[in-house]
Amino acid sequence: MAKLAVLLTLLALVGSVTCQGYTGNASPPTPITYPSPPSLSPSTPPTYPPPSSTPPSPAPVSPSPPTTYPPQSTTPPNPAPTGPSPPAPGLRVGYYSSSCPKAEQIVKDTVKNAVYANRGIGAGLVRLFFHDCFVEGCDASVLLDPTTANSRPEKLGVPNFPSLRGFEVIDAAKAALESACPGVVSCADVVAFAGRDAAYFLSNANIDFAMPAGRYDGRVSLADETLTNLPSPFAGLDQLKKNFADKGLDADDMVTLSGAHSIGVSHCSSFSDRLASTTSDMDAALKANLTRACNRTGDPTVVQDLKTPDKLDNQYYRNVLSRDVLFTSDAALRSSETGFSVFLNVVIPGRWESKFAAAMVKMGGIGIKTSANGEIRKNCRLVN
C-alpha cells in the first residue's frame, strides 16, 4: 500500500507540473539575432536536412503526461550525484596551478564581461563546448577558420553556421592568456572553461563546478563531419541515444545536457517540420505563435524557452512535459524511457543543476588529444 501511495503522489505531481506550462496568452516571442563570425556570412541561411524517420505519432487527446510515469521499477530514485564524474585520463583539476596560476580566472573574467553584456553569447559558449566535443573530441577543432589548405572547417558545417557564436570571447580570453603565460594554455581548455563559466553566470551561480584541464588542440577540422556527429533537432529518441552512445555518453547524460535548451535562440528552420506537421504534439498555442514569428523573410530566430529565456534552469523540463518545446529531439524526451528523468528534474530541487555539472565534466573527456597528436595553438583560429 505504501508503494501505491507513493506512485499516486508522483502521478499527481506530474499533473500539477504540466499545468505550469505555456498557456498561449503571451505574445509571440521577439526574435533575437546575434552576429555571425566575422567574414563568414553565407548568401542564404542553411537548413537542416529533413528528418529521415517516420512522422511522430498524433498527439493524444488529453494533455496529461504519458501514463508510463513512473517507470516499472518501484525502488525510490537515487539522489542527485554529489559531484562531477572523475576526469578523463590525462585531465586534472588545477592543471595550470603552477604553469599559469591565473589561467582560469582570466577566462572567467572574460566570460563574465561577455555574458553580462549579452546573455545570448553565454548560451553560445555552452553550445560551443558541446559542438566542439562531439566532433573530433574536445580539441578546439570547431574554432579553426577556413584556409587555403582547408576551405571548409567545422565552423562552416550546417549545424554550426551561422548559428554558432562566442568565438570572439574565446579569442579575447586566449589573447589575455598569451600575454600572461605564452604557449601554455590550450584553446581546447579555454573552450571548456568558458562553457563551465557561462553555465555558472547564466544559472545565477547554481551550476558551479571544477573543470579538469590538460587538453591539447587538434589539427583536423572538417565541415563534413558535423552532420554525422552532432545530434539533429529532427532526431527521435533512438537516434539521439546512438549519437550520445557513440561519444561514451548514456541516455541520462542526453536528458541532462538537453537542459541547455532552456536558454538561447533557435533558427526556425530547425523546427519547421513541427510547424508544418498536422501530427506534431506541440502545444497548439505555442505552435500558432511560432508560426507567426517564423513567417518572415530569411530564417528568423526565436527564444527556446518562453518562460525563462535568459536563465539556465530546469524550466526546460517543465516545457517538455507540457509540450512547449521546439525540436523533435526535445519532444522525444517525453518517452517512457526518459520521461521519468525529465519529471525528476522538475520536482527535485537542485537535481538537474548537479547532474548538468557532472555531465559537462564527462562530456569534456571525449576524444582528448595529447602532445603526441595535438598542440598548444598560439592563435585559436589557426594551427601552428
Side-chain angles (χ1 to χ4, degrees), residues 232-266:
S232 167
F234 300 114
L237 186 66
D238 289 342
Q239 182 58 51
L240 289 172
K241 287 167 55 181
K242 182 181 186 306
N243 284 132
F244 279 77
D246 287 346
K247 307 303 174 185
L249 303 174
D250 58 28
D252 192 54
D253 298 319
M254 175 191 71
V255 173
T256 301
L257 291 169
S258 295
H261 289 173
S262 76
I263 194 165
V265 299
S266 171

Side-chain angles (χ1 to χ4, degrees), residues 20-33:
Q20 300 175 52
Y22 178 71
T23 63
N25 295 324
S27 301
T30 303
I32 306 171
T33 303

Side-chain angles (χ1 to χ4, degrees), residues 298-309:
D299 191 7
T301 57
V302 296
V303 294
Q304 295 189 126
D305 177 3
L306 290 169
K307 291 293 185 178
T308 57

Side-chain angles (χ1 to χ4, degrees), residues 132-382:
D132 181 40
C133 290
F134 264 62
V135 185
E136 290 290 338
C138 307
D139 65 349
S141 53
V142 74
L143 304 180
L144 291 173
D145 278 346
T147 62
T148 303
N150 181 17
S151 61
R152 284 187 53 74
E154 285 174 35
K155 64 169 56 173
L156 295 187
V158 170
N160 293 337
F161 188 67
S163 60
L164 209 58
R165 56 191 183 272
F167 297 105
E168 71 282 3
V169 180
I170 304 300
D171 290 339
K174 178 63 172 176
L177 289 166
E178 286 298 300
S179 176
C181 36
V184 174
V185 183
S186 70
C187 298
D189 281 339
V190 176
V191 173
F193 291 150
R196 182 266 312 269
D197 297 335
Y200 173 83
F201 293 115
L202 293 173
S203 68
N204 294 336
N206 288 319
I207 299 174
D208 187 8
F209 62 97
M211 175 61 76
R215 302 166 185 82
Y216 278 71
D217 301 324
R219 302 184 181 94
V220 177
S221 182
L222 301 171
D224 290 344
E225 292 186 350
T226 56
L227 278 174
T228 55
N229 284 281
L230 288 165
S232 167
F234 300 114
L237 186 66
D238 289 342
Q239 182 58 51
L240 289 172
K241 287 167 55 181
K242 182 181 186 306
N243 284 132
F244 279 77
D246 287 346
K247 307 303 174 185
L249 303 174
D250 58 28
D252 192 54
D253 298 319
M254 175 191 71
V255 173
T256 301
L257 291 169
S258 295
H261 289 173
S262 76
I263 194 165
V265 299
S266 171
H267 283 274
C268 291
S269 60
S270 296
F271 56 88
S272 57
D273 62 318
R274 303 234 306 148
L275 299 183
S277 173
T278 58
T279 59
S280 168
D281 69 349
M282 182 184 289
D283 175 81
L286 175 62
K287 184 175 181 179
N289 279 344
L290 291 175
T291 299
R292 287 192 294 269
C294 292
N295 188 26
R296 291 180 289 117
T297 304
D299 191 7
T301 57
V302 296
V303 294
Q304 295 189 126
D305 177 3
L306 290 169
K307 291 293 185 178
T308 57
D310 292 325
K311 185 178 180 182
L312 185 60
D313 59 13
N314 70 344
Q315 178 62 43
Y316 167 78
Y317 298 100
R318 298 179 186 274
N319 296 344
V320 171
L321 293 179
S322 58
R323 299 185 176 90
D324 291 313
V325 285
L326 303 186
F327 310 136
T328 299
S329 59
D330 293 329
L333 300 189
R334 283 179 55 88
S335 76
S336 59
E337 183 175 348
T338 56
F340 193 59
S341 292
V342 170
F343 167 74
L344 292 179
N345 285 339
V346 172
V347 299
I348 300 179
R351 180 182 193 268
W352 173 72
E353 289 83 356
S354 178
K355 291 176 72 66
F356 188 76
M360 288 280 277
V361 170
K362 186 176 179 181
M363 182 178 70
I366 298 173
I368 298 302
K369 303 294 190 298
T370 66
S371 57
N373 61 351
E375 62 184 13
I376 306 296
R377 286 183 217 146
K378 298 176 182 177
N379 181 337
C380 290
R381 294 174 178 265
L382 303 167

